[in-house]
Amino acid sequence: MTIRNARVLKPTRRAFLLSTVALAAVAAMPHVSRAQDETPRGGSVSINIGTEPPVLVLIAHSAGAAYYISGKATESLLTYDKDFNPQPLLATEWKVSDDGLRYWFKLREGVRWHDGKDFTAEDVAFSILALKENHPRGRATFATVQKANVLNPHEVELLLSKPAPYLLSAFASFEAPIVPKHLYEGTKIAENPHNVAPVGTGPYKFVEWVRGSHALFVRNEDYWGSPKPYLDQIIFRFIIDPAAAVAAIETGEVQVSTANLPLTDIDRLKANPNLIVDTDPAPYSPSIARAEFNLENKYLADIKVRHAIAHAVDKDFIVNTVYLGYATRLDGPVSPDLAKFYTPDLPKYEFDPAKAEKLLDEAGYKRGADGFRFKLFIDPTQPSGPPKQTAEYFAQALAKVGIKVELRTQDFATFVKRIFTDRDFDIAIEGMSNLYDPTVGIQRLYWSKNFKPGVPFTNGSKYVNPDVDRLLETAAVEVDPKKRLALFNDFQKLVVQDLPTLDIVTPSVITVYDKRVKNLKTGVEHLWSNGAGIYLEE
């Protein structure tokens, strides 16, 4: 096994093809046929995920690009069907006590790590506590987990200080990977070398990571779910250039593409008889696009100014012109793709420039001799694509009501530092994930106690509302589903009125893939699942 991550390699097509040819012997490995499973076996699937992640295992990281990779090697306790019902993975049985303070799991027997060691409850207990200590979201997700007790080699219990009604939904493989205790214990979890060279229980084993080009995984012949996986190998490509990304899927260089496909090319790709363009949402972690207001700015601290901005912006124009229809208008903090918690009956700020002008006048900001009332900076999360185009539209729309806007662009790392560390911003155009539950994915953005300069994707607005805090904190421990939903509904109405952020759209999740690739998306995890069931039609 080769681990090629010691130096940066120039991302050339030739280097990638040489690597694939060198592994032809792997793709031709014999396998055991199962009469009861006639699913075609063999073959290789290349998936372009665009941005190259910093790690391949998400035990101490939440890099979005690694969502596609982590679970293929390192599994978790559960997976989830399309209705979000938990299904067995490394756990075969589970129970939650009536008071919500004890979670019990029976673990699958006969499972081995990729290095041949036995998988046991020790690994699960260790990993849950490691996630609590090291994972950016795990610190909140598992905050109430006080103990992880090994009852026997195949049973584990979690004891909580307070109920966590979202917890049973937290065990997706990319969100809560179980890692081998014998390789992680006694190390700095975030710096462990197996974060970039995974050893897991999953259907695919790590072979190599060629920086700037690809990461390669091959079939785990000792997988507990035999005869799965069906593929010989999965190759994750890092093609950033939009033109190259389109060419790669059109020519068959990759069979699946999830990133960097210009929306202007989607109709042409739809017309290709060999391709499928899939816009199904990703319910486990739906994303939204929003404008975040810095409430430390003296203008934006005025609610009339924020309401005026909301009326000055035409969200339907953004849907149709920026996203070319591949988005849904959004009027609250919860994406409709997170259907269980979505509240459609919320106040809407309809496009009304005259009303915006009136509110700005009432706030005391009259137009000056140059026609402007005041100036703001706007920063998109990306220097190109819909984030930048949305920011450009905001600048034009606000100029029409007398707000002068200067657009600044930077790379993603600089954007994160500017917004969450330096706090050198007025309006940020950004994407945020709702995740699978509002306590995990949304509370962090509005809870006053989560204003943490230097920590990305927290309450960047510095929004404070004691009633919102109370609703969020109560919902976080409420075990009655109906009461919990009512609390989140009240929360949504309050933040839409206060408007610390202006929610804009839910972008469509576009995946383009070769029609021979089958069973690509399963349950609510979709491409972030372990991928064991993916196969190539003969």
Side-chain angles (χ1 to χ4, degrees):
M1 184 178 294
T2 304
I3 302 173
R4 297 174 63 184
N5 58 1
R7 60 192 179 90
V8 176
L9 301 180
K10 186 176 180 180
T12 65
R13 175 176 169 81
R14 180 175 180 274
F16 166 72
L17 292 175
L18 286 174
S19 174
T20 305
V21 171
L23 290 157
V26 174
M29 288 188 298
H31 49 75
V32 179
S33 62
R34 300 293 180 93
Q36 69 271 26
D37 189 341
E38 297 181 356
T39 304
R41 290 168 60 87
S44 174
V45 168
S46 293
I47 303 174
N48 177 35
I49 63 172
T51 302
E52 185 168 19
V55 295
L56 303 182
V57 176
L58 293 172
I59 185 68
H61 214 292
S62 58
Y67 287 9
Y68 301 96
I69 301 175
S70 184
K72 306 297 186 290
T74 50
E75 296 173 303
S76 193
L77 298 180
L78 302 171
T79 186
Y80 304 89
D81 66 18
K82 292 184 178 181
D83 295 317
F84 245 111
N85 298 310
Q87 304 294 314
L89 205 59
L90 289 178
T92 58
E93 299 177 39
W94 51 92
K95 293 179 183 177
V96 181
S97 63
D98 290 341
D99 62 6
L101 299 179
R102 181 180 185 264
Y103 285 67
W104 169 86
F105 296 93
K106 181 174 176 56
L107 305 178
R108 193 177 298 277
E109 299 185 28
V111 178
R112 283 189 286 271
W113 294 101
H114 293 161
D115 63 2
K117 302 288 187 181
D118 288 336
F119 160 77
T120 73
E122 293 283 352
D123 300 305
V124 175
F126 173 83
S127 297
I128 297 301
L129 297 179
L131 286 162
K132 177 182 178 179
E133 180 67 25
N134 297 279
H135 191 277
R137 288 193 294 268
R139 294 170 185 168
T141 304
F142 299 104
T144 64
V145 175
Q146 298 300 296
K147 293 182 180 180
N149 295 328
V150 174
L151 305 179
N152 64 51
H154 297 101
E155 288 186 47
V156 65
E157 68 173 2
L158 306 180
L159 301 181
L160 281 60
S161 59
K162 297 178 181 178
Y166 52 86
L167 194 61
L168 203 60
S169 299
F171 295 104
S173 292
F174 79 92
E175 181 70 9
I178 304 301
V179 297
K181 179 181 178 180
H182 64 278
L183 297 179
Y184 277 82
E185 187 175 32
T187 72
K188 291 184 177 180
I189 302 296
E191 300 174 10
N192 189 290
H194 294 288
N195 294 339
V196 296
V199 174
T201 60
Y204 297 97
K205 298 175 69 171
F206 172 76
V207 174
E208 68 173 7
W209 181 0
V210 179
R211 300 282 183 158
S213 176
H214 66 276
L216 174 70
F217 293 76
V218 300
R219 177 196 292 133
N220 175 12
E221 296 288 352
D222 195 31
Y223 185 51
W224 59 262
S226 177
K228 295 178 181 179
Y230 301 120
L231 296 175
D232 289 322
Q233 61 185 32
I234 294 181
I235 306 164
F236 295 96
R237 299 289 308 278
F238 314 125
I239 304 174
I240 297 176
D241 178 69
V246 172
I249 191 69
E250 287 186 311
T251 62
E253 181 181 336
V254 302
Q255 288 73 53
V256 182
S257 191
T258 68
N260 298 331
L261 297 174
L263 295 176
T264 51
D265 289 318
I266 299 300
D267 284 347
R268 188 180 78 252
L269 294 173
K270 283 182 176 179
N272 188 322
N274 298 316
L275 299 175
I276 292 175
V277 176
D278 186 327
T279 57
D280 287 346
Y284 196 89
S285 187
S287 293
I288 66 171
R290 65 183 203 153
E292 182 163 38
F293 301 129
N294 185 349
L295 301 187
E296 293 182 299
N297 176 287
K298 69 175 183 178
Y299 305 115
L300 296 172
D302 189 327
I303 193 170
K304 288 188 175 182
V305 171
R306 302 197 299 275
H307 284 192
I309 291 173
H311 284 297
V313 172
D314 187 349
K315 294 181 183 179
D316 295 324
F317 177 87
I318 295 173
V319 168
N320 295 321
T321 305
V322 174
Y323 288 89
L324 303 183
Y326 292 103
T328 302
R329 172 179 171 144
L330 189 63
D331 292 297
V334 179
S335 165
D337 295 341
L338 193 65
K340 181 179 178 181
F341 299 101
Y342 176 65
T343 301
D345 186 22
L346 292 173
K348 292 179 174 58
Y349 296 88
E350 299 298 350
F351 179 54
D352 190 342
K355 188 170 185 178
E357 296 252 24
K358 183 174 183 293
L359 285 167
L360 290 168
D361 287 342
E362 290 175 357
Y365 300 113
K366 305 289 185 179
R367 288 181 183 262
D370 61 355
F372 291 108
R373 306 168 188 273
F374 52 82
K375 177 182 175 181
L376 298 173
F377 290 102
I378 190 165
D379 295 275
T381 185
Q382 298 287 351
S384 62
K388 182 186 178 186
Q389 293 165 7
T390 300
E392 290 171 339
Y393 168 71
F394 262 69
Q396 296 168 8
L398 296 186
K400 291 178 180 178
V401 298
I403 300 175
K404 186 174 185 179
V405 176
E406 181 176 333
L407 174 66
R408 300 182 296 194
T409 60
Q410 56 261 301
D411 62 28
F412 181 68
T414 304
F415 170 87
V416 170
K417 183 175 183 293
R418 180 188 291 279
I419 306 306
F420 297 102
T421 300
D422 301 339
R423 299 196 52 72
D424 172 26
F425 81 103
D426 298 326
I427 303 176
I429 302 297
E430 58 195 11
M432 286 290 180
S433 173
N434 279 178
L435 287 162
Y436 51 89
D437 187 280
T439 296
V440 180
I442 300 175
Q443 176 172 321
R444 61 193 169 115
L445 307 175
Y446 296 94
W447 191 30
S448 68
K449 297 174 186 176
N450 209 38
F451 172 67
K452 298 179 178 179
V455 180
F457 317 124
T458 52
N459 180 0
S461 287
K462 198 177 182 181
Y463 173 57
V464 179
N465 183 325
D467 290 331
V468 167
D469 287 349
R470 175 183 54 80
L471 289 167
L472 291 171
E473 290 167 5
T474 305
V477 297
E478 176 55 66
V479 295
D480 184 310
K482 290 183 179 180
K483 291 181 180 179
R484 190 165 187 256
L485 185 59
L487 290 165
F488 282 130
N489 287 345
D490 290 343
F491 151 75
Q492 292 178 66
K493 292 173 183 176
L494 269 181
V495 297
V496 168
Q497 171 61 33
D498 286 353
L499 216 66
T501 64
L502 177 63
D503 301 296
I504 306 170
V505 301
T506 291
S508 298
V509 179
I510 300 176
T511 305
V512 182
Y513 61 96
D514 189 308
K515 68 179 183 180
R516 296 171 300 167
V517 180
K518 303 297 182 181
N519 208 26
L520 184 64
K521 295 182 175 182
T522 57
V524 293
E525 294 163 82
H526 284 193
L527 277 170
W528 305 328
S529 71
N530 69 3
I534 300 173
Y535 67 92
L536 281 171
E537 188 175 64
E538 292 180 341

